Amino acid sequence: MNIFKKIYKSYKKSSTERQINEQEVNLSLDDSFVHNFISKGGRFLYCTSINEVASNLKEILKENNWNEITCSDFDLLKITDKLDLNIQKKTSENTPYFTSCEHLIANKGDILFSSNQIGSDKLSSLSKHFVVYATTSQLVKNMGEGLTGIKTNFQGNIPTNISSITNYKIDVDDDSFLTYGNSNSKNLYLLLFEDL
């Protein structure tokens, strides 16, 4: 009789452990985004002030021995004013690209862009090195919410060339038929500014 009690206890214990391990974990939007972003090879720096954004940008440039960047965003140029570097307005494959974005997609860890950031250029034709400035208020749950956000924010003048970077390791190819022949893998740093 004692052996049956032991077997029953071990069965009950293992089924309880299994139930605990199989429970779905619900992360907040920012935790979900960070988890998915990092698992794809992305690097991010969390910033609580604009001075911290400028300081982190300086460290990224120093770490990679970059002395020039491409930036055409007027607001971001204000951040680079404090830094001693050469700013290019015209895109180049060899010069890191400093830009903002439309949204951060939490459930995939992707970054959504439009013609507001990349103009009419395809992501694959831009530099393989990106430094992206984004705010925590740009976090959305999924791509549907991101596209709805673009439609809502730009009523009557919806931007074109909407695309996303989905891989943050240059040597990784995306098998998705939507990006076939148009690799959008980038060596990407994200400067995430807390604005909420």
Side-chain angles (χ1 to χ4, degrees):
M1 195 71 113
N2 212 3
I3 193 159
F4 291 120
K5 285 184 182 180
K6 286 181 182 179
I7 292 173
Y8 178 72
K9 280 184 182 180
S10 68
Y11 172 76
K12 188 175 179 181
K13 184 178 178 182
S14 66
S15 66
T16 303
E17 286 177 7
R18 193 174 332 124
Q19 286 176 344
I20 290 170
N21 291 335
E22 291 175 356
Q23 286 181 351
E24 185 177 323
V25 177
N26 292 320
L27 298 174
S28 65
L29 279 181
D30 52 346
D31 288 338
S32 178
F33 173 78
V34 168
H35 172 75
N36 292 320
F37 180 76
I38 290 173
S39 71
K40 292 181 171 189
R43 290 164 282 192
F44 88 100
L45 297 155
Y46 184 80
C47 308
T48 56
S49 71
I50 293 299
N51 288 335
E52 199 173 354
V53 171
S55 174
N56 285 333
L57 176 60
K58 183 178 181 178
E59 290 301 315
I60 291 169
L61 298 171
K62 185 177 171 183
E63 176 184 319
N64 291 286
N65 296 318
W66 295 331
N67 55 7
E68 67 179 5
I69 58 173
T70 301
C71 181
S72 58
D73 185 314
F74 181 73
D75 291 327
L76 294 181
L77 287 173
K78 293 176 188 175
I79 295 171
T80 62
D81 281 347
K82 302 173 186 173
L83 306 176
D84 182 31
L85 71 143
N86 187 13
I87 308 293
Q88 303 292 322
K89 301 253 185 200
K90 198 162 179 118
T91 61
S92 163
E93 281 188 34
N94 301 321
T95 307
Y97 196 71
F98 183 43
T99 186
S100 58
C101 66
E102 293 294 343
H103 290 289
L104 305 172
I105 311 299
N107 73 335
K108 298 284 187 184
D110 297 350
I111 300 179
L112 188 63
F113 299 95
S114 75
S115 57
N116 292 332
Q117 292 84 36
I118 60 176
S120 61
D121 296 318
K122 290 183 178 181
L123 280 172
S124 61
S125 69
L126 296 173
S127 173
K128 59 185 169 186
H129 305 291
F130 264 58
V131 179
V132 177
Y133 169 82
T135 61
T136 52
S137 63
Q138 291 175 287
L139 282 163
V140 294
K141 185 176 180 179
N142 54 39
M143 188 63 75
E145 285 185 13
L147 295 173
T148 301
I150 290 174
K151 185 177 178 182
T152 303
N153 293 339
F154 301 102
Q155 290 179 355
N157 192 19
I158 297 174
T160 58
N161 199 14
I162 297 170
S163 54
S164 65
I165 295 178
T166 58
N167 294 315
Y168 309 111
K169 295 177 185 173
I170 295 173
D171 56 348
V172 175
D173 288 327
D174 190 357
D175 291 346
S176 169
F177 89 97
L178 295 172
T179 59
Y180 181 75
N182 185 19
S183 175
N184 64 359
S185 296
K186 302 291 179 190
N187 173 32
L188 192 137
Y189 291 87
L190 175 63
L191 297 169
L192 184 59
F193 179 68
E194 172 68 60
D195 68 339
L196 293 176

